[in-house]
Amino acid sequence: MNKVMAVVTAGALGLGLMAVAAPAADAATHDASIACTSPKDAKANYSWGDGFTTVTVYFNNHCSGAVSAGIVTEDTDDRQSIYCLKTNGGTKGKKKFDIGVDEHVVKIKKGCSL
């Protein structure tokens, strides 16, 4: 009987954590694409959420070669910064960036310069 109680307690605890974490599911997600040089009809695709101090950018590069993407952030004083994400052709994955508390990603663009 103790084993059953432990499972019920763990399940109840898990449900409590889910209720606390639920607002994060409401966070906005964003996406962007960069056209490939080759093949012409392909793209490198990116998505990210509204992070707090960090942001994880997911990528899927359908291009035959490497693509450099600029992760453009903006702070509360409208100052912009850029983080570079270079991905090889035919790859997908994710990259976590440490951004400031007052920064958020405003766009992803081709190239790593402002």
Side-chain angles (χ1 to χ4, degrees):
M1 182 175 271
N2 287 341
K3 288 182 183 179
V4 173
M5 292 296 284
V7 171
V8 171
T9 303
L13 180 60
L15 289 175
L17 291 174
M18 286 176 59
V20 171
D26 295 334
T29 56
H30 312 277
D31 57 16
S33 295
I34 296 174
C36 298
T37 304
S38 176
K40 292 282 187 193
D41 60 341
K43 297 178 181 178
N45 300 309
Y46 305 89
S47 64
W48 68 96
D50 295 328
F52 180 75
T53 71
T54 65
V55 64
T56 300
V57 176
Y58 297 85
F59 63 89
N60 190 353
N61 184 352
H62 296 280
C63 304
S64 59
V67 174
S68 292
I71 315 303
V72 181
T73 63
E74 193 170 86
D75 67 13
T76 55
D77 293 325
D78 296 329
R79 291 181 296 221
Q80 291 188 339
S81 298
I82 193 162
Y83 299 84
C84 193
L85 174 60
K86 184 175 181 180
T87 60
N88 292 323
T91 60
K92 64 181 178 178
K94 63 184 178 180
K95 171 75 174 161
K96 185 176 181 178
F97 294 92
D98 292 321
I99 61 175
V101 173
D102 61 342
E103 285 185 274
H104 63 282
V105 176
V106 291
K107 66 181 176 179
I108 294 180
K109 65 177 215 64
K110 185 174 185 174
C112 295
S113 60
L114 284 173

